[in-house]
Amino acid sequence: MKVSVLALWSAAAALLLVAQAPSAAEASHHGGAGLKLGYYKKTCPGVENVVKYHVAKAIKANRGAGAALVRLIFHDCFVRGCDASVLLDPTPANPETEKTAPINIGLAAFEVIDEIKAALEERCPGTVSCADIVVYAARDASSLLSNGHVHFAAPAGRLDGVVSRAADAQRDLPDSTFTVSELIRNFRRKNFTVEELVILSGAHAVGVGHCSSFRARLSAPPAQIVPAYRNLLSGKCAAAAGGADDPVVANNVRDEDPRAVAAAFPSFLGKLRKARDFLDNSYYHNNLARIVTFNSDWQLLTEKEALGHVKEYAENGTLWDEDFSDALLKLSRLPMPPHSKGEIRKTCRWVNHH
Ligand code: HEM
Ligand SMILES: *[C@@H]1O[C@H](CO)[C@@H](O)[C@H](O)[C@H]1NC(C)=O
Ligand SMILES: *[C@@H]1O[C@H](CO)[C@@H](O)[C@H](O)[C@H]1NC(C)=O
């Protein structure tokens, strides 16, 4: 008995040491079990208010920034866990960080994260990880874009990784050309179910996509995309084919500009919305009506279980709000690979000097 008590004490002491020296810590890798609600209560009181203030400000100026933050948590957490590896800028020593990967096309809102980090460094230097900022910011963005319908308490205590490779992003993130089996396998590798694949895809109710991300849809048959909507997209994408000036369109057809809709898809005019980028279950209605942009969206109708969930969430928006909140929380718990090094970065775009 004595021995085990002793062992318990030394384990506790070791934990304490780790907690006091996070910059030298080995990242926790047991499914986010080390994360805690109110993690910064003592070390950086008010941290969540600071994040929310800056996210609200960014969304007020441009709701698209909110969409970008919702995508950012997915693209961070699916690659090496939630470790802010997606934020690292390329350097001469590491010219191909995750953000340079083709799959990360259009990733944005990095300057919102920078602004939050700068404010927090002033308030409590060296304390709040960029990885936690990404999670808090995505949580607040999804809440603000949904008028509070999407909401969850976000545990924290993540460390920032020091590894970021474009090849990892290419390997781990799903591509818009994937079939439903490829999508299911991709999510399965991260322990996400078919249902969660459908739930999380609902994030495409907001934001934008480049024409290069749905090029093949412009010649897909009517069973896959409504011809009038396809014409609308073709018109928008004719402007410039690929390259740096590749046009973007609204992910949610209800956010399209009225003139383009009047010209190509007049029967849809009545369904346009005044407020852009509202995060709700409209994605599922659009999907069943074959008016979504990405092949990966349409693919969800081609598998029995996935289709059942698409219908379920089209029917019950409240259910989606709740399940999307839970799925984002689960996403936020994806851990770094075992034995990864972690630190609290001084600047979210660069690892610290050692
Ligand atoms: C299921 C597999 C998924 C695929 C294949 C996929 C693919 C894409 C593509 C191709 C774009 C447009 C990029 C561009 O051209 O600029 C995009 C945008 C977006 N995605 Fe996904 N995505 C998936 C899942 C998710 C998930 C799980 C989330 C978040 C929970 C998400 C959130 C977003 C958001 C918010 C945007 C708009 C970003 C912006 O406007 O800045 N996506 N996605
Ligand atoms: C998925 O779950 C298995 C079994 O619990 C675990 O070993 C693995 O690390 C998990 N994968 C991820 C990416 O969390
Ligand atoms: C929709 O989902 C909510 C939340 O789970 C549930 O309380 C409600 O009963 C559902 N509504 C319908 C019509 O099934």
Side-chain angles (χ1 to χ4, degrees), residues 67-68 71 74 105 174-175 200-201 203-204 207-208 210 213 251 294 296:
R71 186 173 180 226
F74 176 51
I105 179 177
D175 195 272
L200 285 168
S201 295
H204 291 165
V208 294
H210 287 80
S213 297
N251 282 342
F294 307 125
S296 53

Side-chain angles (χ1 to χ4, degrees), residues 202-349:
H204 291 165
V206 297
V208 294
H210 287 80
C211 291
S212 57
S213 297
F214 54 85
R215 186 60 63 186
R217 297 274 287 158
L218 302 179
S219 51
Q224 298 184 17
I225 182 168
V226 164
Y229 180 53
R230 194 183 58 196
N231 292 343
L232 186 154
L233 295 178
S234 296
K236 296 212 139 190
C237 295
D245 48 1
D246 192 19
V248 294
V249 308
N251 282 342
N252 192 333
V253 56
R254 287 154 210 258
D255 294 342
E256 268 302 343
D257 70 87
R259 267 189 305 156
V261 175
F265 194 8
S267 65
F268 201 74
L269 265 177
K271 290 192 173 156
L272 295 185
R273 304 205 283 203
K274 288 185 201 80
R276 272 192 76 89
D277 291 321
F278 193 83
L279 187 61
D280 63 6
N281 71 333
S282 53
Y283 167 84
Y284 303 96
H285 291 279
N286 296 344
N287 207 343
L288 290 170
R290 272 114 179 124
I291 39 179
V292 283
T293 45
F294 307 125
N295 168 71
S296 53
D297 297 325
W298 168 75
Q299 284 280 336
L300 299 180
L301 308 182
T302 66
E303 196 269 349
K304 194 163 172 253
E305 185 187 349
L307 173 62
H309 292 306
V310 171
K311 290 179 176 160
E312 182 185 12
Y313 292 114
E315 275 162 25
N316 194 337
T318 309
L319 183 65
W320 182 75
D321 292 336
E322 290 175 3
D323 290 356
F324 185 70
S325 307
D326 292 345
L328 275 190
L329 177 60
K330 179 170 168 180
L331 198 55
S332 82
R333 289 184 173 281
L334 279 171
M336 284 202 240
H339 314 301
S340 298
K341 286 240 173 59
E343 62 182 16
I344 307 288
R345 271 180 221 152
K346 293 189 176 74
T347 307
C348 291
R349 291 171 186 267

Side-chain angles (χ1 to χ4, degrees), residues 65-248:
L69 289 169
V70 174
R71 186 173 180 226
L72 202 55
I73 189 178
F74 176 51
H75 283 229
D76 185 31
C77 297
F78 247 47
V79 185
R80 302 188 61 85
C82 309
D83 68 338
S85 53
V86 73
L87 303 180
L88 292 173
D89 275 349
T91 61
N94 185 14
E96 293 185 356
T97 55
E98 287 174 26
K99 60 163 69 161
T100 70
I103 196 86
N104 277 327
I105 179 177
L107 218 55
F110 296 113
E111 68 293 339
V112 180
I113 301 289
D114 291 341
E115 190 183 303
I116 296 168
K117 178 63 169 172
L120 290 175
E121 283 303 294
E122 198 158 293
R123 197 181 174 99
C124 22
T127 306
V128 182
S129 70
C130 299
D132 283 338
I133 294 173
V134 167
V135 169
Y136 284 145
R139 186 268 309 264
D140 294 339
S142 58
S143 171
L144 289 161
L145 293 183
S146 67
N147 276 357
H149 291 291
V150 174
H151 60 93
F152 58 94
R158 296 167 194 80
L159 291 174
D160 299 324
V162 297
V163 176
S164 178
R165 298 188 206 100
D168 290 344
Q170 282 310 120
R171 188 196 54 219
D172 287 355
L173 287 166
D175 195 272
S176 62
T177 61
F178 275 12
T179 63
V180 74
S181 329
E182 289 173 318
L183 291 167
I184 290 171
R185 215 175 315 134
N186 176 274
F187 271 62
R188 181 69 241 158
R189 279 181 54 200
K190 301 288 171 181
N191 292 337
F192 280 70
T193 64
V194 176
E195 182 175 23
E196 288 162 335
L197 162 66
V198 174
I199 293 166
L200 285 168
S201 295
H204 291 165
V206 297
V208 294
H210 287 80
C211 291
S212 57
S213 297
F214 54 85
R215 186 60 63 186
R217 297 274 287 158
L218 302 179
S219 51
Q224 298 184 17
I225 182 168
V226 164
Y229 180 53
R230 194 183 58 196
N231 292 343
L232 186 154
L233 295 178
S234 296
K236 296 212 139 190
C237 295
D245 48 1
D246 192 19
V248 294

